[in-house]
Amino acid sequence: MRIGLITPDPGHPLLAAATALLTPLHQVETLDPRTVEEVPGPLADVYLLKSRTPRALALARDLERRGAPVVNSAAATALCQDRTAMAHKALRAGLPFAATRTFATLAQLASGPGLPGPVVVKSRHSRRHDVVARLDSDVQLRELAAAHPLEPVVVQEFAPNSGWDHKLWAVGDGLFAALRRSELLPGGRGPSLPLACEDLPPGWPALVRRVGEVLELDVYGVDIIETGDGAPLIVDINAFPGVRGQSGAPEALVALALDRPEASRSTSEADRPAGGGLQRPGDFRVAH
């Protein structure tokens, strides 16, 4: 098989490990979206979209238009970049996603009636080095707005929690987990701690599976906090995250890459979700 990687960084640990597993029997090709605008035929059997730039999404859309399977689809990847659209779709599907309000700019938010209480402010468009901050006062809001006045943002009410984010990653049928100190705490984000999937609260693996079905994702991360009553609250969803340091993740990505072309051929156009992702029934295989 031929597998294409849409990425400017084929040396990323997850991709590099998966490539090492694939190359004895398969051909792996890198498409750097910074320099490649169109892929000549014949196309690869499947493409892995590990980039979220406009050029990468345009390249993925062109490949999909020409009939190539892309993981994740360009539409699903773009949806996860827009926190407003993502929250709307998640909440409409009944997922326990944080209630989200949208403001055209931080300046507009700061010019309003003031904060009702502690809130979390995030850039509307998810990207590297975007705005993510907990604000407890109007003074903090004005300071943030002065630094980023034109930044479109979303606002989520701060939910009391333990200060630990549950980082859950799905790679095809594989599920992986870790604990990480919240980046909203003084001192910022700390190192991740191992978390066995068997130790997750009941129903959480099924919740992660449902996220993938709703947002039509095959490789994704779900950030969950456990609120005071023990219920899960989803605060973010990411398409094709790094999944660094998770034993078994490269193998799960290889299995997905090898399975996806056959699954795409066997799924009729009428049964395929609009974004291109496949519905995968059943339980996750969890890492030990």
Side-chain angles (χ1 to χ4, degrees):
M1 276 182 56
R2 290 173 56 220
I3 297 96
L5 306 180
I6 304 175
T7 178
D9 182 19
H12 182 283
L14 176 63
L15 297 181
T19 297
L21 293 170
L22 285 164
T23 47
L25 296 175
H26 306 279
Q27 181 179 349
V28 179
E29 307 165 353
T30 299
L31 302 177
D32 187 339
R34 297 173 301 185
T35 57
V36 176
E37 295 185 1
E38 185 174 354
V39 181
L43 300 181
D45 296 285
V46 64
Y47 292 90
L48 305 182
L49 178 56
K50 185 68 176 78
S51 179
R52 302 179 296 174
T53 65
R55 291 175 67 100
L57 292 173
L59 184 60
R61 290 188 186 99
D62 181 65
L63 291 167
E64 290 171 338
R65 179 184 59 80
R66 296 162 64 189
V70 178
V71 177
N72 298 293
S73 73
T77 301
L79 179 71
C80 287
Q81 286 184 268
D82 185 340
R83 288 189 168 108
T84 297
M86 177 174 64
H88 177 73
K89 187 164 186 177
L91 290 166
R92 188 173 57 186
L95 295 174
F97 197 94
T100 301
R101 294 179 294 151
T102 303
F103 293 84
T105 64
L106 258 170
Q108 180 195 56
L109 174 61
S111 68
L115 300 179
V119 299
V120 178
V121 175
K122 304 177 182 179
S123 295
R124 173 173 177 171
H125 303 291
S126 174
R127 63 192 187 279
R128 189 179 296 275
H129 307 308
D130 58 0
V131 172
V132 179
R134 173 179 169 173
L135 302 180
D136 294 286
S137 69
D138 293 336
V139 172
Q140 291 177 322
L141 172 57
R142 288 192 293 270
E143 291 175 349
L144 188 65
H148 309 276
L150 301 182
E151 181 74 14
V153 294
V154 298
V155 178
Q156 299 171 344
E157 182 178 340
F158 177 77
N161 63 89
S162 66
W164 289 91
D165 292 340
H166 291 75
K167 309 289 291 188
L168 305 180
W169 300 282
V171 183
D173 291 327
L175 179 64
F176 309 89
L179 285 172
R180 183 181 294 164
R181 291 296 287 174
S182 171
E183 63 183 315
L184 303 175
L185 292 174
R189 178 183 295 165
S192 296
L193 299 179
L195 176 63
C197 292
E198 293 87 347
D199 294 334
L200 291 171
W204 283 30
L207 173 59
V208 175
R209 168 72 75 196
R210 179 62 181 152
V211 168
E213 293 172 351
V214 169
L215 298 187
E216 301 173 10
L217 295 165
D218 292 297
V219 184
Y220 56 101
V222 184
D223 293 351
I224 300 178
I225 59 174
E226 188 173 0
T227 57
D229 58 1
L233 181 69
I234 300 172
V235 294
D236 216 347
I237 302 167
N238 300 287
F240 219 128
V243 203
R244 295 175 183 266
Q246 295 295 313
S247 176
E251 290 80 0
L253 184 59
V254 166
L256 175 63
L258 297 180
D259 176 70
R260 183 58 185 272
E262 183 61 34
S264 294
R265 284 191 290 270
S266 63
T267 303
S268 70
E269 202 67 37
D271 294 334
R272 196 174 302 165
L278 294 177
Q279 307 291 343
R280 297 185 311 275
D283 296 326
F284 282 115
R285 293 180 294 102
V286 299
H288 298 278

